[in-house]
Amino acid sequence: MGQVFVTRRVPGRAVELLQGAGHDVAVWPDDLPPPANALRESLLQADAALTMVTDPIGQDLLIEAERLCVVANMAVGYDNIDIVAASQAGVWATNTPGVLHETTADLAFALLLAAARNVVLSDRDTRDGGWQMWSPTAFLGPDPFGATIGIVGLGEIGQAVARRAHGFGMTVLAATRTSRPGIEQELGVEKVSLNDLLQRADFVSLHVPYSPVTEHLIGSQELAVMKETAILVNTARGGVVDQDALVEALRAGTIGGAALDVTVPEPLPLTHPLYGFPNVIITPHIGSASFATRAHMAEMAARNIVAVLGGAEPLNPVNQPPVPRNRA
Ligand code: DGY
């Protein structure tokens, strides 16, 4: 049957699923991604690839790897794949929708709460011996309960964040370019312009995919509109925020803080000025990192591969190649 290259060790039964369908599976053994040349060498031999957001799958690779029929990304985002080139080359690209939104929304809320209530900062201080005595003035922060949250992007993850926000008695605003009739009402969300949202929200949480349209969606102008106390939460993609502008806003104190699960680049070098702000939390792109969710994601990617190598269409395509390649 087919040759499948899995670019990292993955949790769950994904490899068993692929082997059970009769495929030969090679798993990159390291915890770091395969370097460009190793990725290329492996893909030249592969009929299918199970990839991560950290694997750049560009045009040259898609053309050169002429056996490759499907790139199954273990992620809902797929900005690491050149989708136009994949379609032109006849390669299916797939993602993992519907399985990670609750887990990612949990992290967005964890970051929101942690930033507001100084969870990370006070933990660090405690470990450094800073806990002298209960203090009426130490580590004060804004109340999430009853505050206004602005959700930018009302897809699966944005909707899951909105549901959580109601549990915290929040007023929920959403800015979305996609029209989903009835959804705002169903979720108890007020649909507003991005500008309006930024002016009114105490917490701004980003949930748009990364694309040329959303690149630097939050830049200096947008940051300038936010409240001085507002906290920006980004669990989407680093490129949605203009990081230089964010650093400037934090320096000038025109926003209250930021909690970032995604940055540009990833990992963010330790010399980056963002690490210098006590009101910034940075986590290493762990939005979907629960045991169950990561296993689901890997298994879903594997099922997409099994479908394509079995001669069917994938279950979760993000492109539609006019002439799909067939396994040689
Ligand atoms: C995704 O699914 O796009 C995440 O960023 C990876 O968990």
Side-chain angles (χ1 to χ4, degrees), residues 49-291:
L50 197 160
T51 53
M52 314 292 135
V53 288
T54 46
D55 302 314
I57 309 292
Q59 184 179 34
D60 291 353
L61 197 51
L62 286 157
I63 293 170
E64 229 187 329
E66 37 182 48
R67 285 177 59 165
L68 199 62
C69 301
V70 54
V71 176
N73 223 29
M74 185 183 143
V76 72
Y78 44 88
D79 47 291
N80 57 308
I81 305 172
D82 184 333
I83 295 295
V84 174
S87 297
Q88 280 165 358
V91 179
W92 289 104
T94 70
N95 71 340
T96 61
V99 294
L100 56 83
H101 52 292
E102 300 295 358
T103 301
T104 305
D106 281 345
L107 187 82
F109 239 87
L111 288 175
L112 183 158
L113 296 172
R117 299 301 313 279
N118 291 308
V119 173
V120 176
L121 194 62
S122 60
D123 173 81
R124 226 178 271 149
D125 184 71
T126 304
R127 288 163 200 266
D128 289 345
W131 189 6
Q132 305 290 331
M133 188 51 68
W134 182 87
S135 161
T137 53
F139 300 113
L140 307 186
D143 274 313
F145 190 87
T148 297
I149 186 171
I151 299 174
V152 182
L154 205 54
E156 287 179 331
I157 303 173
Q159 291 176 35
V161 169
R163 286 192 294 273
R164 282 159 181 71
H166 286 302
F168 282 79
M170 288 176 147
T171 298
V172 188
L173 310 176
T176 169
R177 289 180 313 120
T178 314
S179 166
R180 296 184 179 82
I183 195 77
E184 291 96 20
Q185 227 176 338
E186 192 185 310
L187 288 168
V189 161
E190 185 187 345
K191 192 174 167 183
V192 294
S193 68
L194 179 60
N195 199 59
D196 199 8
L197 179 149
L198 295 169
Q199 276 177 3
R200 291 169 59 192
D202 301 304
F203 299 95
V204 174
S205 194
L206 305 178
H207 302 289
V208 289
Y210 178 66
S211 74
V213 177
T214 59
E215 166 143 353
H216 292 184
L217 182 69
I218 304 298
S220 48
Q221 280 180 13
E222 290 72 24
L223 291 160
V225 172
M226 286 171 64
K227 293 183 185 179
E228 275 187 11
T229 48
I231 290 170
L232 178 70
V233 179
N234 189 6
T235 53
R237 285 290 184 269
V240 175
V241 175
D242 177 345
Q243 270 177 195
D244 294 340
L246 178 60
V247 168
E248 281 317 307
L250 289 160
R251 256 189 208 132
T254 57
I255 68 165
L260 312 170
D261 186 46
V262 285
T263 57
V264 179
E266 292 182 11
L268 192 68
L270 284 174
T271 50
H272 197 281
L274 277 172
Y275 288 110
F277 298 101
N279 51 347
V280 170
I281 296 175
I282 299 170
T283 50
H285 201 148
I286 53 169
S288 59
S290 77
F291 296 116

